[in-house]
Amino acid sequence: ELLATKSAKVAALLKENSNADLYYLLHDIPADSETFDLVARFCHGCAVQMSTENIVPLICLSFYLGMDENHCNNNLLSKAVTFFEQTVLPSWNEIIKALRSSEKSLQQTMQIGLFDACLQAMIAKASDNPRHLGEPIIVSTDKGDDSDRPNAKRRLFALDWKEDLTTLSLQLYEPIIYTMKQHEIPPTYISASIYRYAKKWIFHCNNGRETMSIYKRKSQRNVIETLEKLLPHGRELLPCTLLFEMLRCAINLEASSVCRNGFEIRIGKQLDQAKVKDLLILPQGYAKEVQYDIECIRRILKVFYSNYDSSDASGFITVAELMEEFLAEVACDMDLMIDSFISLAEMSMAAAIGTKRNSDGIYRVIDIYFEKHAYLTEKEKEQVCKVLDFRKMSPEACEHAAKNERLPVRAVVQVLFMAQLQMRETLARTAYDDDKSEKEEEEEIEVRMEMEKMSIKVKELEKDCCETKQEITNGCIRQRVNKGK
């Protein structure tokens, strides 16, 4: 009867049912004991201690029980909503705390509009100051370990500590980030928040593939697939190393091909910023017969070449050097099969197409591979050497290869042949230059003699011209004298 004075729902149940049936009718009230205790205190006239942590469940329960002004003046619902509007909505930190407390009654929170109210307030605050999402992760070309860290000084001297969105469940985090993308919050801040969410909920929680439960594995797979959909597309929003970290996570969790391809596309757009260790990707399923995911690297390379500005050759050179360093790294692997090595070598050679790089780097990694795999037959070595372009080897590399006992005989013969051709071309070019210089000297002498002859002829013509003029002048004078006589 006491609860019915404040609750329209309980009053209606009392009117329609006997006291004995009320237990069955109220057993499914959507609230925990602490929240219901606050309602009971309010019904007894006691002061209710509202806080950010209990206000959302309290509003949900008072709304469910019908504790509004239509049933009773100064009722609990209006008091709780006023506290929510005055204390929670104006503050970013309080909104995050309130949303965390709403996860047990999430469906009802969304139905009665509390989540939308929080979301709109967060969008307004993030539009005014996107650092509410956390500091963006700096993309640096420096190869040091500090290049992927946020600005430590700014975080250290921040005036007020911000509650982090990454503490929310995926059910809350996904619609918040999706709406922020629609309202054009800067993608650098959104990308940084998404990476930190993956770091908190996947990287730190993953203690190994073998010990992970099926439920946890499925949950983490759902997280990485959702984050990939939310992650903005664009170059240099996240460092390449962090994108590779997320790609490895997607592979390990056996995420969908759409998810993995999404990370590969983002990586391909900025592959020139990657490091060698980033490319050491194990294939899905950890198959022992395949040491590295060659097809994945091939797809990433294809994305790079289709998106990179061809007018800037520096990126192509950087990727060509990266592939050679990567090949030198994997060539030391004793378990690397010959087919895998050849495929990687072909990709490395393809990366150098369009640049003025020689084949010395490929020759070096082939030599490393032969040194670590001494059991290879002569035929297998010849198969490996087919990827090497002997015409692009420097004279120093040719000299080393000619004395290299690890190379197959046919390859050594090709090196000697190419060295001989290079020597012939050099000699022919030198002789041609010498002949050319001699001819130029002879031509200069001939031109000089012709010039002197022309100069003499010009002087003779000038002399003849003067004499002719004198004769014409004298002839005219005689004619005048004769006419006068």
Side-chain angles (χ1 to χ4, degrees):
E1 288 79 4
L2 184 61
L3 184 59
T5 61
K6 303 292 184 181
S7 169
K9 184 179 183 66
V10 174
L13 291 173
L14 263 178
K15 186 176 181 180
E16 298 172 1
N17 301 276
S18 63
N19 292 345
D21 297 330
L22 290 181
Y23 171 79
Y24 301 101
L25 295 172
L26 295 176
H27 78 281
D28 58 347
I29 291 179
D32 51 29
S33 57
E34 291 81 4
T35 306
F36 197 83
D37 180 68
L38 294 174
V39 173
R41 288 176 180 275
F42 177 77
C43 294
H44 282 84
C46 300
V48 177
Q49 297 296 326
M50 299 181 186
S51 67
T52 303
E53 286 75 13
N54 65 26
I55 191 63
V56 173
L58 187 61
I59 292 176
C60 290
L61 180 57
S62 57
F63 179 84
Y64 174 81
L65 293 175
M67 302 177 72
D68 53 24
E69 298 300 305
N70 293 329
H71 183 70
C72 174
N73 293 330
N74 295 322
N75 214 341
L76 181 60
L77 181 59
S78 61
K79 294 180 180 294
V81 169
T82 300
F83 180 89
F84 178 77
E85 292 174 345
Q86 295 179 353
T87 305
V88 176
L89 293 183
S91 170
W92 176 275
N93 289 358
E94 300 305 308
I95 292 174
I96 301 294
K97 291 178 184 177
L99 287 176
R100 274 203 303 268
S101 69
S102 71
E103 292 179 354
K104 293 181 180 179
S105 55
L106 184 58
Q107 186 175 358
Q108 193 175 12
T109 301
M110 292 186 172
Q111 286 177 350
I112 64 178
L114 291 179
F115 177 76
D116 287 338
C118 290
L119 182 57
Q120 295 305 317
M122 294 174 73
I123 295 298
K125 297 179 191 306
S127 299
D128 182 58
N129 182 12
R131 285 197 173 88
H132 282 295
L133 277 71
E135 292 295 331
I137 299 175
I138 300 172
V139 178
S140 174
T141 55
D142 184 16
K143 297 297 182 180
D145 294 335
D146 296 333
S147 61
D148 302 337
R149 296 179 181 176
N151 191 325
K153 183 184 292 187
R154 184 178 292 149
R155 291 175 65 86
L156 182 63
F157 294 102
L159 296 178
D160 55 342
W161 176 74
K162 298 296 181 184
E163 282 280 353
D164 197 349
L165 276 176
T166 61
T167 59
L168 300 177
S169 67
L170 188 64
Q171 288 178 299
L172 289 170
Y173 184 79
E174 180 182 5
I176 290 173
I177 294 297
Y178 179 78
T179 308
M180 286 190 174
K181 286 177 64 178
Q182 289 185 320
H183 284 77
E184 298 181 352
I185 304 300
T188 51
Y189 293 90
I190 292 178
S191 300
S193 177
I194 289 173
Y195 172 74
R196 282 191 282 267
Y197 196 92
K199 190 174 182 179
K200 178 179 179 62
W201 293 93
I202 301 177
F203 304 153
H204 286 174
C205 300
N206 195 346
N207 297 322
R209 175 188 173 95
E210 292 78 9
T211 58
M212 191 187 304
S213 66
I214 296 176
Y215 173 79
K216 182 178 179 181
R217 183 174 180 78
K218 183 178 180 181
S219 174
Q220 290 192 353
R221 185 189 303 126
N222 183 38
V223 170
I224 195 65
E225 290 177 351
T226 302
L227 295 182
E228 188 280 322
K229 294 176 184 176
L230 294 174
L231 189 64
H233 281 272
R235 182 176 163 87
E236 298 184 355
L237 295 178
L238 280 179
C240 204
T241 298
L242 304 188
L243 291 173
F244 269 108
E245 186 179 5
M246 298 180 81
L247 174 60
R248 285 195 190 88
C249 174
I251 293 173
N252 293 339
L253 293 172
E254 298 180 352
S256 66
S257 59
V258 174
C259 173
R260 299 195 303 271
N261 291 338
F263 287 122
E264 290 173 2
I265 291 172
R266 292 174 177 86
I267 291 169
K269 291 180 180 178
Q270 57 190 71
L271 184 60
D272 52 317
Q273 299 173 354
K275 304 172 186 176
V276 175
K277 63 179 181 180
D278 298 331
L279 300 179
L280 301 175
I281 302 174
L282 295 175
Q284 186 172 351
Y286 291 90
K288 294 183 178 180
E289 62 272 11
V290 180
Q291 291 77 21
Y292 303 100
D293 198 334
I294 300 170
E295 290 304 316
C296 175
I297 299 173
R298 195 190 304 277
R299 289 192 298 269
I300 291 173
L301 273 173
K302 185 177 180 181
V303 172
F304 173 77
Y305 287 120
S306 62
N307 286 274
Y308 196 80
D309 185 6
S310 58
S311 61
D312 184 9
S314 61
F316 291 100
I317 295 173
T318 302
V319 171
E321 292 174 350
L322 174 69
M323 290 302 300
E324 288 181 4
E325 293 176 12
F326 167 69
L327 193 56
E329 182 77 19
V330 301
C332 299
D333 189 347
M334 292 295 297
D335 297 325
L336 182 62
M337 305 297 290
I338 184 171
D339 293 339
S340 300
F341 179 80
I342 291 174
S343 180
L344 291 171
E346 288 173 347
M347 281 192 287
S348 183
M349 290 291 291
I353 294 177
T355 65
K356 295 182 179 180
R357 293 179 56 78
N358 55 34
S359 299
D360 291 4
I362 299 297
Y363 167 69
R364 181 173 63 90
V365 296
I366 288 177
D367 187 42
I368 294 172
Y369 186 71
F370 286 165
E371 182 182 3
K372 298 295 182 180
H373 301 77
Y375 57 84
L376 293 176
T377 65
E378 191 79 1
K379 187 175 182 180
E380 289 174 331
K381 289 183 178 181
E382 291 176 0
Q383 188 178 357
V384 172
C385 288
K386 287 181 180 180
V387 301
L388 183 60
D389 190 349
F390 296 98
R391 296 170 298 179
K392 293 185 177 181
M393 289 175 61
S394 66
E396 295 78 12
C398 288
E399 183 179 355
H400 183 277
K403 302 175 183 178
N404 193 343
E405 297 179 353
R406 288 187 286 269
L407 289 180
V409 176
R410 180 173 294 181
V412 174
V413 171
Q414 285 182 288
V415 170
L416 292 173
F417 178 71
M418 293 307 303
Q420 187 179 16
L421 285 180
Q422 290 176 359
M423 189 179 297
R424 284 182 181 179
E425 291 176 359
T426 303
L427 293 173
R429 194 179 300 110
T430 304
Y432 174 75
D433 292 340
D434 293 342
D435 292 342
K436 187 177 181 181
S437 60
E438 291 177 0
K439 289 180 180 179
E440 288 177 352
E441 290 178 0
E442 292 177 357
E443 289 175 356
E444 287 179 1
I445 295 172
E446 291 178 0
V447 170
R448 198 177 299 114
M449 291 175 66
E450 289 293 330
M451 290 291 290
E452 291 176 356
K453 290 179 181 180
M454 289 295 295
S455 179
I456 293 171
K457 287 182 178 181
V458 169
K459 289 179 180 179
E460 291 176 352
L461 288 172
E462 287 178 348
K463 185 179 179 181
D464 293 341
C465 184
C466 289
E467 292 177 352
T468 303
K469 285 182 178 180
Q470 190 64 35
E471 290 177 358
I472 292 172
T473 303
N474 294 336
C476 290
I477 292 172
R478 290 193 195 99
Q479 287 179 0
R480 289 174 185 171
V481 171
N482 293 331
K483 283 182 180 180
K485 289 180 179 180

